[in-house]
Amino acid sequence: MPTATTRHSDRRVSPVFLGIVAVMVVTGWAVWTDFAPVPGLAVFLFVTAAWVVSLCLHEYAHARSALHSGDISIGSKGYLTLNPLAYTHALLSIVLPVVFVILGGIGLPGGAVFIERGRIRGRWKHSLISAAGPLTNALFAVVCTAPFWLHALDGVPLVFRYALGFLALLQVTAAILNFLPVPGLDGYGVVEPWLSYGIRRQVEPFAQIGLLAVFALLWIPSVNHVFFDLVDAILRGLGVGDVETYCGQAFYRFWQGKPEALFCPSGG
């Protein structure tokens, strides 16, 4: 394998990522043990850190798939270190998704790993690279809901259940949005290699506004209801109910008041 992909520094996990994981672990422990004087703050930090970790893994999945598909330049760009600061557009990949979680409770997909597509041969490889990111979100959702679908909630504190429920909602929304075949999203990247050259040229200008268009559509009540009905159906299939997601978001938005006032008990 070429040297560019084998240098240890290209694959060493970034201290930035490890720091984010440490925040996730410590705040997750604080939520579990009810150590924090303000449970909502602990939930906020835990879910936000876990969300950023999932974003890093999402981009890593794209990069790793590209590396094994022929783009040996990936390593030198820092994408294999899981460092969110190495992304082409850190604002799009990390900052905006976190802001939209805070404001709207939606797992807005990011994405700014620059892949040299010309190095990759084969339509299936191109499709797999695009699909790898949202598949990571789907896997993250399955993992964080394991206590629910395994019926292993005995001993899991209520607030921690809420946090997992809300985190699962973010992962499911991110996976669904990312898989939409809209220019600029991973779903379009999956189907693009199978389209004719003429269609790709016509669609290309819309890649810059695809994500914004999708988000604008979600403000339409009828579209919003259909979207979240689908999200709720998937979450129910994973064993997560409306109470967990609603109360998880209530604790996450601790600045809006005590969740207990919204019928979300924190103990028992």
Side-chain angles (χ1 to χ4, degrees):
M1 186 175 293
T3 304
T5 64
T6 56
R7 290 186 304 176
H8 183 65
S9 60
D10 290 343
R11 305 189 310 274
R12 186 186 300 120
V13 178
S14 165
V16 176
F17 178 76
L18 293 177
I20 298 170
V21 171
V23 172
M24 180 185 72
V25 171
V26 171
T27 54
W29 170 82
V31 174
W32 183 284
T33 61
D34 196 24
F35 179 80
V38 181
L41 177 59
V43 169
F44 174 82
L45 294 174
F46 168 62
V47 172
T48 300
W51 173 236
V52 174
V53 166
S54 74
L55 292 174
C56 293
L57 293 174
H58 175 114
E59 303 301 343
Y60 177 83
H62 284 310
R64 195 76 189 188
S65 300
L67 173 67
H68 291 293
S69 297
D71 183 2
I72 60 175
S73 70
I74 287 294
S76 62
K77 292 170 183 168
Y79 298 154
L80 301 179
T81 67
L82 291 160
N83 183 0
L85 302 180
Y87 301 145
T88 308
H89 300 292
L91 175 66
L92 178 63
S93 290
I94 301 296
V95 177
L96 283 182
V98 170
V99 169
F100 278 108
V101 167
I102 294 173
L103 296 179
I106 295 177
L108 179 75
V113 168
F114 178 71
I115 296 168
E116 297 185 18
R117 294 280 182 170
R119 294 174 177 263
I120 299 166
R121 297 290 181 266
R123 290 182 291 182
W124 282 108
K125 290 181 179 179
H126 284 282
S127 295
L128 177 60
I129 291 168
S130 295
L135 285 175
T136 301
N137 290 112
L139 179 60
F140 206 102
V142 171
V143 171
C144 71
T145 57
F148 296 90
W149 52 264
L150 287 175
H151 306 289
L153 289 171
D154 290 342
V156 179
L158 267 179
V159 179
F160 196 81
R161 296 185 199 181
Y162 300 154
L164 288 180
F166 183 52
L167 181 58
L169 181 144
L170 298 179
Q171 300 301 327
V172 171
T173 57
I176 294 175
L177 290 174
N178 256 306
F179 267 129
L180 293 177
V182 175
L185 298 179
D186 290 328
Y188 178 73
V190 173
V191 301
E192 183 184 27
W194 307 90
L195 302 177
S196 68
Y197 177 76
I199 293 177
R200 282 183 284 163
R201 285 296 301 272
Q202 291 177 351
V203 172
E204 185 177 358
F206 298 99
Q208 302 298 323
I209 62 172
L211 179 58
L212 293 177
V214 168
F215 192 72
L217 285 174
L218 287 175
W219 284 95
I220 301 175
S222 58
V223 176
N224 186 278
H225 288 321
V226 171
F227 175 72
F228 277 102
D229 282 347
L230 175 60
V231 172
D232 290 341
I234 293 173
L235 288 173
R236 284 196 298 271
L238 292 171
V240 180
D242 294 339
V243 172
E244 284 83 11
T245 55
Y246 171 78
C247 291
Q249 187 169 21
F251 271 89
Y252 184 84
R253 294 178 172 179
F254 66 95
W255 57 88
Q256 293 184 339
K258 292 185 176 181
E260 292 84 351
L262 301 174
F263 309 104
C264 295
S266 59

